[in-house]
Amino acid sequence: CPQLQELQLGNTQVTDAAITAVAKSCPQLRILSIDGSHVTDMSITDVARLCPQLEHLNVNDTNVTDESIAAVAQGCPQLQHLHLSRLKATDVSITAVAQTCSQLQSLRLYDMKRVTEASVIAVAQGCPLLQYLYLFNMRVTDAAIKAVAQGCPRLQSLWLCHHSYNAVVEVTDTSITTLAQRCRQLRQLHLSKANVTDTSIRTVAQGCPRLQSFYVDSTGVTDASITAMAQGCPQLQELQLGNTQVTDAAITAVAKSCPQLRILSIDGSHVTDMSITDVARLCPQLEHLNVNDTNVTDESIAAVAQGCPQLQHLHLSRLKATDVSITAVAQTCSQLQSLRLYDMKRVTEASVIAVAQGCPLLQYLYLFNMRVTDAAIKAVAQGCPRLQSLWLCHHSYNAVVEVTDTSITTLAQRCRQLRQLHLSKANVTDTSIRTVAQGCPRLQSFYVDSTGVTDASITAMAQGCPQLQEL
């Protein structure tokens, strides 16, 4: 196939030999995605030399270094999309890309520990067509964001994300104000944990009317700027406001002005049933709702069940809700894919059984500090064949999970797509775990601490589940 132009080989056993063969035989190659494969600089250098029309390169989680990325920068001046994650590359190669690939439109840097904001500044100065910039777990300050604002007026997406719980994004109102004033086409702005306040967010609300996705959880925003955001950005579809001072006033304003809202995450905020009922009434396209650690009760959860039949993801922690509202969700939200119940003391396994019977598309079920027996797990096994993750967790030292081999055997037989199975402190033995080993070959995460398993079932697990990553 010498006319091959697009090739995706992510998470395969492919090595340099195959990629070099492609480079030699397919000079028109434009898209190459080989994330998670076994390639090195050797083959990527060949691609850089022999495929000058390359536009898209994804080498996440490979053995690629500065050598071949710099070679791509030199040999592929039409490069538009570059994805780099967990590589040993440094500022040297990213700066080379910035200097020679002026058509670059998207750059994703994820856990690139040897790359600094000097690379971001270089890209901002050398790539005026940049539209998408994703920076994960990277120290970035106002200097870099100001450079992006000044150099990349077409920017549509900026993600500044840190997965560390204690991380602080060193970006302030100063640079975000400049960004909002100069990058008026912004559609996605993710600033979780940034040092921003209402000052800059008001400017975003005024300057970026096309904004659709806005994450400012764990920041200094209040009702004032979120109300302005609702009024200025009516196309808003995704909103994360967890751990902020936001109250019902702002959420009601969002509900009234942003009818296309699909994702709302307001965990740890001061909202009550009042605003969530408004969301349920005015935002029928809602798919994702996180109201962990709020003052929400059965009233508004039941309203969401009634008004948002497309709901797919529901996160509930430490609420006063009961089986009444969870059962309502189960009866009307048949597209539900994930349910997280954490420290829900008034919810019983009757809710789990109702969800199992009413939500056949369920893929993720997380039950923390909740009494669950074989009856509930059997119902899940029988009703949710697409299940990928099941977590049964108790944080109490003396807790016992009342789930036995009986239901886990049924689960393994019927839910063969399982990737995560957490059964710590459950009353399970080798009997059911052997069935898991035989029936769930895609399993990646398996927790059975404080159970009755022995070498026999774990050896079977090792042989039957070669993709296992967490044990």
Side-chain angles (χ1 to χ4, degrees), residues 40-46 48 54 57-60 62-77 79 82-98 100-101 107-109 112 115:
T40 70
D41 288 328
M42 183 181 299
S43 61
I44 300 304
T45 301
D46 288 335
L54 192 71
L57 179 63
N58 180 344
V59 287
N60 294 343
T62 61
N63 295 310
V64 165
T65 72
D66 279 337
E67 179 185 347
S68 60
I69 297 172
V72 168
Q74 186 66 31
C76 307
L79 191 69
L82 181 61
H83 295 188
L84 309 175
S85 295
R86 290 177 284 269
L87 306 181
K88 294 180 179 179
T90 69
D91 290 330
V92 172
S93 57
I94 310 302
T95 301
V97 169
T100 58
C101 300
L107 176 64
R108 183 185 296 259
L109 301 175
M112 296 289 288
V115 175

mmCIF file of all heavy atoms in Angstrom, residues 40-46 48 54 57-60 62-77 79 82-98 100-101 107-109 112 115:
data_model
loop_
_atom_site.group_PDB
_atom_site.id
_atom_site.type_symbol
_atom_site.label_atom_id
_atom_site.label_comp_id
_atom_site.label_asym_id
_atom_site.label_seq_id
_atom_site.Cartn_x
_atom_site.Cartn_y
_atom_site.Cartn_z
ATOM 1 N N THR A 40 11.477 3.671 18.780
ATOM 2 C CA THR A 40 12.546 4.505 19.309
ATOM 3 C C THR A 40 12.896 5.588 18.288
ATOM 4 O O THR A 40 12.267 5.699 17.232
ATOM 5 C CB THR A 40 13.796 3.674 19.615
ATOM 6 O OG1 THR A 40 14.391 3.249 18.372
ATOM 7 C CG2 THR A 40 13.460 2.442 20.449
ATOM 8 N N ASP A 41 13.936 6.339 18.591
ATOM 9 C CA ASP A 41 14.399 7.378 17.676
ATOM 10 C C ASP A 41 14.763 6.823 16.298
ATOM 11 O O ASP A 41 14.642 7.516 15.287
ATOM 12 C CB ASP A 41 15.644 8.073 18.259
ATOM 13 C CG ASP A 41 15.305 8.973 19.436
ATOM 14 O OD1 ASP A 41 14.195 9.536 19.444
ATOM 15 O OD2 ASP A 41 16.145 9.122 20.327
ATOM 16 N N MET A 42 15.186 5.571 16.257
ATOM 17 C CA MET A 42 15.655 4.992 15.003
ATOM 18 C C MET A 42 14.600 5.120 13.893
ATOM 19 O O MET A 42 14.860 5.657 12.813
ATOM 20 C CB MET A 42 16.024 3.519 15.192
ATOM 21 C CG MET A 42 16.600 2.860 13.953
ATOM 22 S SD MET A 42 16.983 1.103 14.238
ATOM 23 C CE MET A 42 18.187 1.234 15.561
ATOM 24 N N SER A 43 13.390 4.665 14.159
ATOM 25 C CA SER A 43 12.371 4.683 13.099
ATOM 26 C C SER A 43 11.760 6.065 12.906
ATOM 27 O O SER A 43 11.412 6.437 11.778
ATOM 28 C CB SER A 43 11.277 3.656 13.394
ATOM 29 O OG SER A 43 10.632 3.945 14.619
ATOM 30 N N ILE A 44 11.628 6.821 13.965
ATOM 31 C CA ILE A 44 11.017 8.153 13.829
ATOM 32 C C ILE A 44 11.949 9.076 13.037
ATOM 33 O O ILE A 44 11.490 9.935 12.271
ATOM 34 C CB ILE A 44 10.686 8.743 15.209
ATOM 35 C CG1 ILE A 44 9.704 7.827 15.945
ATOM 36 C CG2 ILE A 44 10.080 10.138 15.066
ATOM 37 C CD1 ILE A 44 8.424 7.547 15.192
ATOM 38 N N THR A 45 13.238 8.871 13.181
ATOM 39 C CA THR A 45 14.188 9.623 12.362
ATOM 40 C C THR A 45 14.021 9.268 10.886
ATOM 41 O O THR A 45 14.104 10.134 10.006
ATOM 42 C CB THR A 45 15.627 9.353 12.829
ATOM 43 O OG1 THR A 45 15.756 9.736 14.203
ATOM 44 C CG2 THR A 45 16.630 10.146 12.004
ATOM 45 N N ASP A 46 13.766 7.995 10.614
ATOM 46 C CA ASP A 46 13.499 7.580 9.229
ATOM 47 C C ASP A 46 12.220 8.229 8.695
ATOM 48 O O ASP A 46 12.160 8.673 7.540
ATOM 49 C CB ASP A 46 13.381 6.057 9.152
ATOM 50 C CG ASP A 46 14.727 5.363 9.317
ATOM 51 O OD1 ASP A 46 15.757 6.000 9.021
ATOM 52 O OD2 ASP A 46 14.741 4.192 9.746
ATOM 53 N N ALA A 48 11.011 11.075 9.659
ATOM 54 C CA ALA A 48 11.334 12.486 9.451
ATOM 55 C C ALA A 48 12.073 12.704 8.135
ATOM 56 O O ALA A 48 11.874 13.708 7.440
ATOM 57 C CB ALA A 48 12.179 12.993 10.619
ATOM 58 N N LEU A 54 4.416 14.766 6.540
ATOM 59 C CA LEU A 54 3.828 14.412 7.833
ATOM 60 C C LEU A 54 3.184 15.635 8.492
ATOM 61 O O LEU A 54 3.804 16.690 8.618
ATOM 62 C CB LEU A 54 4.897 13.833 8.760
ATOM 63 C CG LEU A 54 4.364 13.152 10.027
ATOM 64 C CD1 LEU A 54 3.680 11.831 9.669
ATOM 65 C CD2 LEU A 54 5.491 12.909 11.032
ATOM 66 N N LEU A 57 1.685 13.698 14.411
ATOM 67 C CA LEU A 57 2.549 12.690 15.029
ATOM 68 C C LEU A 57 2.178 12.526 16.496
ATOM 69 O O LEU A 57 2.174 13.483 17.271
ATOM 70 C CB LEU A 57 4.021 13.095 14.913
ATOM 71 C CG LEU A 57 5.035 12.120 15.553
ATOM 72 C CD1 LEU A 57 4.987 10.763 14.854
ATOM 73 C CD2 LEU A 57 6.434 12.704 15.527
ATOM 74 N N ASN A 58 1.864 11.292 16.876
ATOM 75 C CA ASN A 58 1.573 10.937 18.267
ATOM 76 C C ASN A 58 2.546 9.843 18.690
ATOM 77 O O ASN A 58 2.464 8.708 18.213
ATOM 78 C CB ASN A 58 0.128 10.447 18.396
ATOM 79 C CG ASN A 58 -0.240 10.053 19.817
ATOM 80 O OD1 ASN A 58 0.611 9.861 20.683
ATOM 81 N ND2 ASN A 58 -1.537 9.924 20.075
ATOM 82 N N VAL A 59 3.483 10.214 19.557
ATOM 83 C CA VAL A 59 4.451 9.242 20.068
ATOM 84 C C VAL A 59 4.387 9.171 21.594
ATOM 85 O O VAL A 59 5.396 8.944 22.268
ATOM 86 C CB VAL A 59 5.890 9.572 19.594
ATOM 87 C CG1 VAL A 59 6.063 9.249 18.126
ATOM 88 C CG2 VAL A 59 6.237 11.035 19.885
ATOM 89 N N ASN A 60 3.194 9.337 22.153
ATOM 90 C CA ASN A 60 3.011 9.217 23.595
ATOM 91 C C ASN A 60 3.507 7.861 24.094
ATOM 92 O O ASN A 60 3.296 6.828 23.448
ATOM 93 C CB ASN A 60 1.522 9.330 23.956
ATOM 94 C CG ASN A 60 0.945 10.690 23.658
ATOM 95 O OD1 ASN A 60 1.678 11.655 23.473
ATOM 96 N ND2 ASN A 60 -0.380 10.770 23.609
ATOM 97 N N THR A 62 6.347 6.261 24.344
ATOM 98 C CA THR A 62 7.300 5.471 23.554
ATOM 99 C C THR A 62 8.709 5.775 24.071
ATOM 100 O O THR A 62 8.881 6.435 25.088
ATOM 101 C CB THR A 62 7.207 5.827 22.059
ATOM 102 O OG1 THR A 62 7.537 7.213 21.895
ATOM 103 C CG2 THR A 62 5.812 5.567 21.515
ATOM 104 N N ASN A 63 9.719 5.304 23.338
ATOM 105 C CA ASN A 63 11.120 5.539 23.736
ATOM 106 C C ASN A 63 11.759 6.647 22.910
ATOM 107 O O ASN A 63 12.977 6.703 22.754
ATOM 108 C CB ASN A 63 11.916 4.239 23.590
ATOM 109 C CG ASN A 63 11.431 3.160 24.543
ATOM 110 O OD1 ASN A 63 11.286 3.403 25.735
ATOM 111 N ND2 ASN A 63 11.154 1.972 24.030
ATOM 112 N N VAL A 64 10.952 7.513 22.408
ATOM 113 C CA VAL A 64 11.422 8.624 21.572
ATOM 114 C C VAL A 64 12.058 9.710 22.444
ATOM 115 O O VAL A 64 11.586 9.984 23.554
ATOM 116 C CB VAL A 64 10.237 9.173 20.754
ATOM 117 C CG1 VAL A 64 10.557 10.520 20.161
ATOM 118 C CG2 VAL A 64 9.847 8.175 19.671
ATOM 119 N N THR A 65 13.109 10.351 21.940
ATOM 120 C CA THR A 65 13.807 11.414 22.671
ATOM 121 C C THR A 65 13.958 12.649 21.774
ATOM 122 O O THR A 65 13.426 12.706 20.669
ATOM 123 C CB THR A 65 15.196 10.941 23.132
ATOM 124 O OG1 THR A 65 16.067 10.842 21.992
ATOM 125 C CG2 THR A 65 15.121 9.598 23.844
ATOM 126 N N ASP A 66 14.763 13.590 22.268
ATOM 127 C CA ASP A 66 15.027 14.815 21.508
ATOM 128 C C ASP A 66 15.523 14.541 20.093
ATOM 129 O O ASP A 66 15.192 15.272 19.149
ATOM 130 C CB ASP A 66 16.093 15.660 22.231
ATOM 131 C CG ASP A 66 15.526 16.485 23.367
ATOM 132 O OD1 ASP A 66 14.312 16.755 23.350
ATOM 133 O OD2 ASP A 66 16.294 16.844 24.265
ATOM 134 N N GLU A 67 16.321 13.496 19.941
ATOM 135 C CA GLU A 67 16.957 13.232 18.651
ATOM 136 C C GLU A 67 15.956 13.166 17.506
ATOM 137 O O GLU A 67 16.077 13.874 16.495
ATOM 138 C CB GLU A 67 17.749 11.919 18.716
ATOM 139 C CG GLU A 67 18.428 11.560 17.404
ATOM 140 C CD GLU A 67 19.116 10.200 17.434
ATOM 141 O OE1 GLU A 67 19.275 9.633 18.538
ATOM 142 O OE2 GLU A 67 19.473 9.704 16.338
ATOM 143 N N SER A 68 14.944 12.329 17.654
ATOM 144 C CA SER A 68 14.005 12.158 16.527
ATOM 145 C C SER A 68 12.963 13.271 16.455
ATOM 146 O O SER A 68 12.488 13.607 15.367
ATOM 147 C CB SER A 68 13.318 10.789 16.602
ATOM 148 O OG SER A 68 12.592 10.643 17.796
ATOM 149 N N ILE A 69 12.586 13.854 17.606
ATOM 150 C CA ILE A 69 11.636 14.965 17.546
ATOM 151 C C ILE A 69 12.258 16.152 16.816
ATOM 152 O O ILE A 69 11.615 16.811 15.991
ATOM 153 C CB ILE A 69 11.178 15.361 18.965
ATOM 154 C CG1 ILE A 69 10.439 14.194 19.621
ATOM 155 C CG2 ILE A 69 10.258 16.585 18.910
ATOM 156 C CD1 ILE A 69 10.116 14.403 21.083
ATOM 157 N N ALA A 70 13.537 16.398 17.082
ATOM 158 C CA ALA A 70 14.248 17.468 16.369
ATOM 159 C C ALA A 70 14.368 17.138 14.884
ATOM 160 O O ALA A 70 14.277 18.025 14.020
ATOM 161 C CB ALA A 70 15.626 17.690 16.983
ATOM 162 N N ALA A 71 14.538 15.845 14.581
ATOM 163 C CA ALA A 71 14.618 15.421 13.174
ATOM 164 C C ALA A 71 13.272 15.667 12.472
ATOM 165 O O ALA A 71 13.228 16.101 11.310
ATOM 166 C CB ALA A 71 15.008 13.947 13.084
ATOM 167 N N VAL A 72 12.168 15.401 13.176
ATOM 168 C CA VAL A 72 10.838 15.673 12.618
ATOM 169 C C VAL A 72 10.680 17.167 12.372
ATOM 170 O O VAL A 72 10.153 17.601 11.331
ATOM 171 C CB VAL A 72 9.739 15.145 13.558
ATOM 172 C CG1 VAL A 72 8.373 15.676 13.146
ATOM 173 C CG2 VAL A 72 9.732 13.617 13.569
ATOM 174 N N ALA A 73 11.130 17.963 13.320
ATOM 175 C CA ALA A 73 11.045 19.411 13.151
ATOM 176 C C ALA A 73 11.779 19.865 11.893
ATOM 177 O O ALA A 73 11.313 20.730 11.151
ATOM 178 C CB ALA A 73 11.632 20.109 14.376
ATOM 179 N N GLN A 74 12.923 19.246 11.638
ATOM 180 C CA GLN A 74 13.733 19.611 10.475
ATOM 181 C C GLN A 74 13.167 19.068 9.174
ATOM 182 O O GLN A 74 13.145 19.768 8.147
ATOM 183 C CB GLN A 74 15.161 19.084 10.671
ATOM 184 C CG GLN A 74 16.151 19.512 9.603
ATOM 185 C CD GLN A 74 16.411 21.006 9.606
ATOM 186 O OE1 GLN A 74 16.357 21.627 10.657
ATOM 187 N NE2 GLN A 74 16.660 21.596 8.441
ATOM 188 N N GLY A 75 12.659 17.833 9.219
ATOM 189 C CA GLY A 75 12.250 17.173 7.975
ATOM 190 C C GLY A 75 10.790 17.289 7.613
ATOM 191 O O GLY A 75 10.409 16.989 6.476
ATOM 192 N N CYS A 76 9.962 17.731 8.568
ATOM 193 C CA CYS A 76 8.504 17.765 8.340
ATOM 194 C C CYS A 76 7.952 19.147 8.673
ATOM 195 O O CYS A 76 7.222 19.331 9.672
ATOM 196 C CB CYS A 76 7.816 16.698 9.192
ATOM 197 S SG CYS A 76 8.490 15.026 9.003
ATOM 198 N N PRO A 77 8.246 20.133 7.858
ATOM 199 C CA PRO A 77 7.832 21.514 8.166
ATOM 200 C C PRO A 77 6.331 21.742 8.129
ATOM 201 O O PRO A 77 5.849 22.775 8.605
ATOM 202 C CB PRO A 77 8.540 22.336 7.081
ATOM 203 C CG PRO A 77 8.722 21.380 5.949
ATOM 204 C CD PRO A 77 8.992 20.047 6.585
ATOM 205 N N LEU A 79 4.198 19.955 9.755
ATOM 206 C CA LEU A 79 3.629 19.363 10.969
ATOM 207 C C LEU A 79 2.585 20.301 11.590
ATOM 208 O O LEU A 79 2.848 21.483 11.811
ATOM 209 C CB LEU A 79 4.744 19.082 11.980
ATOM 210 C CG LEU A 79 4.344 18.218 13.193
ATOM 211 C CD1 LEU A 79 4.066 16.778 12.745
ATOM 212 C CD2 LEU A 79 5.440 18.245 14.258
ATOM 213 N N LEU A 82 1.098 17.618 17.277
ATOM 214 C CA LEU A 82 2.174 16.881 17.938
ATOM 215 C C LEU A 82 1.739 16.513 19.350
ATOM 216 O O LEU A 82 1.405 17.385 20.156
ATOM 217 C CB LEU A 82 3.441 17.741 17.980
ATOM 218 C CG LEU A 82 4.682 17.106 18.617
ATOM 219 C CD1 LEU A 82 5.101 15.848 17.846
ATOM 220 C CD2 LEU A 82 5.826 18.117 18.673
ATOM 221 N N HIS A 83 1.739 15.206 19.640
ATOM 222 C CA HIS A 83 1.345 14.697 20.952
ATOM 223 C C HIS A 83 2.534 13.993 21.593
ATOM 224 O O HIS A 83 3.040 12.991 21.056
ATOM 225 C CB HIS A 83 0.186 13.709 20.825
ATOM 226 C CG HIS A 83 -1.079 14.316 20.319
ATOM 227 N ND1 HIS A 83 -2.272 13.632 20.289
ATOM 228 C CD2 HIS A 83 -1.356 15.552 19.840
ATOM 229 C CE1 HIS A 83 -3.212 14.415 19.794
ATOM 230 N NE2 HIS A 83 -2.680 15.577 19.511
ATOM 231 N N LEU A 84 2.959 14.497 22.748
ATOM 232 C CA LEU A 84 4.110 13.946 23.450
ATOM 233 C C LEU A 84 3.751 13.707 24.914
ATOM 234 O O LEU A 84 3.390 14.650 25.633
ATOM 235 C CB LEU A 84 5.301 14.914 23.368
ATOM 236 C CG LEU A 84 5.689 15.420 21.974
ATOM 237 C CD1 LEU A 84 6.795 16.458 22.086
ATOM 238 C CD2 LEU A 84 6.125 14.263 21.087
ATOM 239 N N SER A 85 3.866 12.463 25.368
ATOM 240 C CA SER A 85 3.565 12.137 26.764
ATOM 241 C C SER A 85 4.622 11.209 27.330
ATOM 242 O O SER A 85 5.014 10.229 26.690
ATOM 243 C CB SER A 85 2.198 11.448 26.885
ATOM 244 O OG SER A 85 1.165 12.312 26.507
ATOM 245 N N ARG A 86 5.094 11.550 28.537
ATOM 246 C CA ARG A 86 6.010 10.696 29.289
ATOM 247 C C ARG A 86 7.231 10.274 28.471
ATOM 248 O O ARG A 86 7.594 9.101 28.447
ATOM 249 C CB ARG A 86 5.259 9.480 29.838
ATOM 250 C CG ARG A 86 4.285 9.850 30.963
ATOM 251 C CD ARG A 86 3.489 8.653 31.436
ATOM 252 N NE ARG A 86 2.430 8.313 30.490
ATOM 253 C CZ ARG A 86 1.193 8.786 30.549
ATOM 254 N NH1 ARG A 86 0.860 9.617 31.505
ATOM 255 N NH2 ARG A 86 0.290 8.445 29.660
ATOM 256 N N LEU A 87 7.847 11.233 27.838
ATOM 257 C CA LEU A 87 9.072 10.981 27.080
ATOM 258 C C LEU A 87 10.264 11.625 27.795
ATOM 259 O O LEU A 87 10.093 12.447 28.692
ATOM 260 C CB LEU A 87 8.959 11.576 25.662
ATOM 261 C CG LEU A 87 7.746 11.162 24.820
ATOM 262 C CD1 LEU A 87 7.814 11.830 23.453
ATOM 263 C CD2 LEU A 87 7.666 9.646 24.682
ATOM 264 N N LYS A 88 11.468 11.289 27.357
ATOM 265 C CA LYS A 88 12.672 11.885 27.922
ATOM 266 C C LYS A 88 13.108 13.136 27.156
ATOM 267 O O LYS A 88 14.198 13.646 27.362
ATOM 268 C CB LYS A 88 13.799 10.859 27.929
ATOM 269 C CG LYS A 88 13.542 9.677 28.863
ATOM 270 C CD LYS A 88 14.686 8.678 28.844
ATOM 271 C CE LYS A 88 14.416 7.521 29.805
ATOM 272 N NZ LYS A 88 15.501 6.507 29.789
ATOM 273 N N ALA A 89 12.242 13.610 26.299
ATOM 274 C CA ALA A 89 12.567 14.798 25.507
ATOM 275 C C ALA A 89 12.640 16.036 26.398
ATOM 276 O O ALA A 89 12.075 16.078 27.491
ATOM 277 C CB ALA A 89 11.524 14.996 24.416
ATOM 278 N N THR A 90 13.336 17.069 25.899
ATOM 279 C CA THR A 90 13.545 18.299 26.655
ATOM 280 C C THR A 90 13.124 19.515 25.818
ATOM 281 O O THR A 90 12.614 19.387 24.708
ATOM 282 C CB THR A 90 15.025 18.452 27.037
ATOM 283 O OG1 THR A 90 15.791 18.718 25.841
ATOM 284 C CG2 THR A 90 15.557 17.186 27.701
ATOM 285 N N ASP A 91 13.425 20.693 26.354
ATOM 286 C CA ASP A 91 13.136 21.931 25.629
ATOM 287 C C ASP A 91 13.848 22.001 24.287
ATOM 288 O O ASP A 91 13.386 22.701 23.369
ATOM 289 C CB ASP A 91 13.568 23.140 26.479
ATOM 290 C CG ASP A 91 12.695 23.353 27.701
ATOM 291 O OD1 ASP A 91 11.498 23.004 27.640
ATOM 292 O OD2 ASP A 91 13.200 23.859 28.709
ATOM 293 N N VAL A 92 14.956 21.308 24.168
ATOM 294 C CA VAL A 92 15.744 21.363 22.929
ATOM 295 C C VAL A 92 14.895 21.010 21.721
ATOM 296 O O VAL A 92 14.844 21.748 20.723
ATOM 297 C CB VAL A 92 16.969 20.427 23.021
ATOM 298 C CG1 VAL A 92 17.674 20.333 21.663
ATOM 299 C CG2 VAL A 92 17.940 20.922 24.088
ATOM 300 N N SER A 93 14.201 19.890 21.772
ATOM 301 C CA SER A 93 13.442 19.445 20.595
ATOM 302 C C SER A 93 12.140 20.233 20.417
ATOM 303 O O SER A 93 11.724 20.506 19.286
ATOM 304 C CB SER A 93 13.140 17.951 20.679
ATOM 305 O OG SER A 93 12.427 17.635 21.857
ATOM 306 N N ILE A 94 11.483 20.606 21.518
ATOM 307 C CA ILE A 94 10.235 21.368 21.387
ATOM 308 C C ILE A 94 10.529 22.742 20.789
ATOM 309 O O ILE A 94 9.773 23.245 19.945
ATOM 310 C CB ILE A 94 9.534 21.514 22.748
ATOM 311 C CG1 ILE A 94 9.398 20.158 23.458
ATOM 312 C CG2 ILE A 94 8.152 22.152 22.541
ATOM 313 C CD1 ILE A 94 8.656 19.114 22.696
ATOM 314 N N THR A 95 11.638 23.326 21.196
ATOM 315 C CA THR A 95 12.039 24.613 20.628
ATOM 316 C C THR A 95 12.353 24.473 19.145
ATOM 317 O O THR A 95 12.024 25.360 18.334
ATOM 318 C CB THR A 95 13.257 25.171 21.380
ATOM 319 O OG1 THR A 95 12.910 25.332 22.764
ATOM 320 C CG2 THR A 95 13.690 26.512 20.822
ATOM 321 N N ALA A 96 12.964 23.358 18.763
ATOM 322 C CA ALA A 96 13.247 23.104 17.345
ATOM 323 C C ALA A 96 11.945 23.045 16.546
ATOM 324 O O ALA A 96 11.846 23.590 15.439
ATOM 325 C CB ALA A 96 14.030 21.806 17.185
ATOM 326 N N VAL A 97 10.921 22.380 17.108
ATOM 327 C CA VAL A 97 9.608 22.336 16.449
ATOM 328 C C VAL A 97 9.055 23.749 16.300
ATOM 329 O O VAL A 97 8.545 24.137 15.234
ATOM 330 C CB VAL A 97 8.629 21.452 17.259
ATOM 331 C CG1 VAL A 97 7.208 21.614 16.735
ATOM 332 C CG2 VAL A 97 9.048 19.986 17.209
ATOM 333 N N ALA A 98 9.156 24.534 17.359
ATOM 334 C CA ALA A 98 8.632 25.897 17.332
ATOM 335 C C ALA A 98 9.302 26.753 16.258
ATOM 336 O O ALA A 98 8.667 27.604 15.631
ATOM 337 C CB ALA A 98 8.805 26.544 18.702
ATOM 338 N N THR A 100 10.712 25.729 13.366
ATOM 339 C CA THR A 100 10.605 25.294 11.970
ATOM 340 C C THR A 100 9.208 24.874 11.528
ATOM 341 O O THR A 100 8.942 24.802 10.333
ATOM 342 C CB THR A 100 11.568 24.113 11.702
ATOM 343 O OG1 THR A 100 11.248 23.040 12.588
ATOM 344 C CG2 THR A 100 13.014 24.538 11.917
ATOM 345 N N CYS A 101 8.314 24.608 12.485
ATOM 346 C CA CYS A 101 6.974 24.125 12.133
ATOM 347 C C CYS A 101 5.946 25.228 12.399
ATOM 348 O O CYS A 101 5.136 25.155 13.336
ATOM 349 C CB CYS A 101 6.633 22.868 12.927
ATOM 350 S SG CYS A 101 7.785 21.484 12.648
ATOM 351 N N LEU A 107 -0.710 21.178 20.193
ATOM 352 C CA LEU A 107 0.426 20.631 20.930
ATOM 353 C C LEU A 107 -0.074 20.095 22.255
ATOM 354 O O LEU A 107 -0.747 20.800 23.013
ATOM 355 C CB LEU A 107 1.487 21.701 21.171
ATOM 356 C CG LEU A 107 2.687 21.290 22.026
ATOM 357 C CD1 LEU A 107 3.493 20.188 21.328
ATOM 358 C CD2 LEU A 107 3.575 22.498 22.327
ATOM 359 N N ARG A 108 0.246 18.832 22.528
ATOM 360 C CA ARG A 108 -0.137 18.192 23.784
ATOM 361 C C ARG A 108 1.129 17.718 24.498
ATOM 362 O O ARG A 108 1.878 16.885 23.951
ATOM 363 C CB ARG A 108 -1.065 17.004 23.525
ATOM 364 C CG ARG A 108 -1.565 16.310 24.786
ATOM 365 C CD ARG A 108 -2.384 15.079 24.427
ATOM 366 N NE ARG A 108 -3.585 15.432 23.695
ATOM 367 C CZ ARG A 108 -4.795 15.502 24.233
ATOM 368 N NH1 ARG A 108 -4.962 15.257 25.511
ATOM 369 N NH2 ARG A 108 -5.832 15.816 23.497
ATOM 370 N N LEU A 109 1.371 18.238 25.688
ATOM 371 C CA LEU A 109 2.519 17.850 26.511
ATOM 372 C C LEU A 109 1.984 17.289 27.821
ATOM 373 O O LEU A 109 1.392 18.013 28.622
ATOM 374 C CB LEU A 109 3.426 19.055 26.772
ATOM 375 C CG LEU A 109 4.010 19.752 25.535
ATOM 376 C CD1 LEU A 109 4.793 20.992 25.936
ATOM 377 C CD2 LEU A 109 4.906 18.797 24.751
ATOM 378 N N MET A 112 5.674 15.610 30.812
ATOM 379 C CA MET A 112 6.989 15.793 30.171
ATOM 380 C C MET A 112 7.886 16.505 31.182
ATOM 381 O O MET A 112 8.050 17.725 31.192
ATOM 382 C CB MET A 112 6.827 16.597 28.890
ATOM 383 C CG MET A 112 5.999 15.900 27.826
ATOM 384 S SD MET A 112 6.868 14.496 27.090
ATOM 385 C CE MET A 112 8.101 15.364 26.127
ATOM 386 N N VAL A 115 10.614 19.081 30.254
ATOM 387 C CA VAL A 115 10.205 20.223 29.433
ATOM 388 C C VAL A 115 9.696 21.335 30.352
ATOM 389 O O VAL A 115 8.930 21.076 31.280
ATOM 390 C CB VAL A 115 9.113 19.820 28.430
ATOM 391 C CG1 VAL A 115 8.599 21.025 27.663
ATOM 392 C CG2 VAL A 115 9.652 18.762 27.470
#
